[in-house]
Amino acid sequence: GQQLNQSPQSMFIQEGEDVSMNCTSSSIFNTWLWYKQEPGEGPVLLIALYKAGELTSNGRLTAQFGITRKDSFLNISASIPSDVGIYFCAGQGKTSYDKVIFGPGTSLSVIP
Amino acid sequence: GAVVSQHPSRVICKSGTSVKIECRSLDFQATTMFWYRQFPKQSLMLMATSNEGSKATYEQGVEKDKFLINHASLTLSTLTVTSAHPEDSSFYICSAPSGNQPQHFGDGTRLSIL
């Protein structure tokens, strides 16, 4: 079946540093999604990507949809303590009614 | 924006009990909802797709008789964990799409079986 891999598995960074995390897939997706999850809560959508090559920003977050449609990256600039959490990439088909397949997640810790 | 609400947020019960979890779309109609399960330190795994007015579609390896799904209205889907055992303890999360918007996720239900 469809499988996603995320790297790194975990990160410990100093406040103010930039962060970069990647997601790769064994198959093509038409939509890439990046979510953040905090303990005891559901995932919150950060960025949605719909076209190969698309680069989208949301505040300090920037994500790109890989040209091969099998990968995506998420960058966070000037990290702050509230960026702490688990970041999941997810792939989806063409419509919002298609299944969302989640990657294993990247755990981010920010040291003040 | 569109909101998905889950109830209860946390439930603790004895082994052998059946537990019902509700997922509601608060300001939109959801003909389709999705149920996920998340074990500690793991990712969200899709369990089933809930379809209003028809049978749910279960992912491979998920027992449909164990996890009963009912989607009787356009704003409510329920997941019933029947005869729950400690290994069913997990974080259960639902989601629903609204139009062309990405799926909205509920805040999850923490199920603990003693």
Side-chain angles (χ1 to χ4, degrees):
Chain A
Q2 295 171 312
Q3 199 164 1
L4 298 180
N5 295 301
Q6 282 187 249
S7 63
Q9 185 175 3
S10 62
M11 303 178 75
F12 291 83
I13 62 168
Q14 207 73 35
E15 182 178 358
E17 288 183 355
D18 296 342
V19 173
S20 183
M21 56 188 79
N22 293 308
C23 185
T24 59
S25 169
S26 59
S27 54
I28 290 172
F29 285 106
N30 289 296
T31 303
W32 282 92
L33 307 161
W34 284 93
Y35 290 89
K36 178 187 178 187
Q37 186 181 32
E38 298 188 29
E41 298 181 10
V44 174
L45 181 69
L46 300 174
I47 292 180
L49 302 159
Y50 301 103
K51 292 182 182 178
E54 179 182 355
L55 183 71
T56 297
S57 293
N58 178 8
R60 293 179 295 106
L61 278 61
T62 302
Q64 184 158 31
F65 190 145
I67 294 176
T68 64
R69 291 199 280 159
K70 289 185 176 183
D71 64 301
S72 177
F73 72 74
L74 174 71
N75 289 340
I76 305 173
S77 63
S79 59
I80 58 178
S82 61
D83 290 334
V84 167
I86 311 293
Y87 290 79
F88 291 102
C89 67
Q92 191 178 26
K94 287 185 178 180
T95 80
S96 62
Y97 289 81
D98 291 321
K99 298 177 189 179
V100 175
I101 308 299
F102 281 82
T106 292
S107 173
L108 177 63
S109 300
V110 179
I111 304 166
Chain B
V3 176
V4 172
S5 174
Q6 280 185 243
H7 179 79
S9 58
R10 181 165 188 136
V11 58
I12 302 171
C13 58
K14 293 182 179 179
S15 184
T17 308
S18 291
V19 179
K20 181 185 285 188
I21 302 170
E22 295 184 345
C23 179
R24 294 183 185 273
S25 56
L26 294 187
D27 52 358
F28 66 101
Q29 293 182 331
T31 56
T32 302
M33 290 184 174
F34 298 88
W35 286 98
Y36 295 82
R37 179 168 53 183
Q38 185 178 31
F39 291 109
K41 299 189 184 301
Q42 294 189 22
S43 186
L44 285 76
M45 297 299 295
L46 181 65
M47 298 175 67
T49 303
S50 173
N51 303 299
E52 188 269 334
S54 64
K55 290 183 179 180
T57 305
Y58 291 82
E59 294 301 299
Q60 191 173 8
V62 178
E63 301 175 56
K64 61 182 174 130
D65 295 329
K66 171 77 172 176
F67 300 98
L68 301 178
I69 291 173
N70 187 298
H71 195 149
S73 80
L74 288 171
T75 59
L76 174 65
S77 173
T78 61
L79 170 69
T80 300
V81 183
T82 61
S83 186
H85 291 286
E87 58 266 28
D88 297 322
S89 298
S90 189
F91 195 49
Y92 292 85
I93 307 172
C94 69
S95 73
S98 172
N100 293 326
Q101 298 179 38
Q103 292 177 20
H104 308 277
F105 284 80
D107 280 337
T109 297
R110 174 74 59 195
L111 175 61
S112 299
I113 308 298
L114 305 177

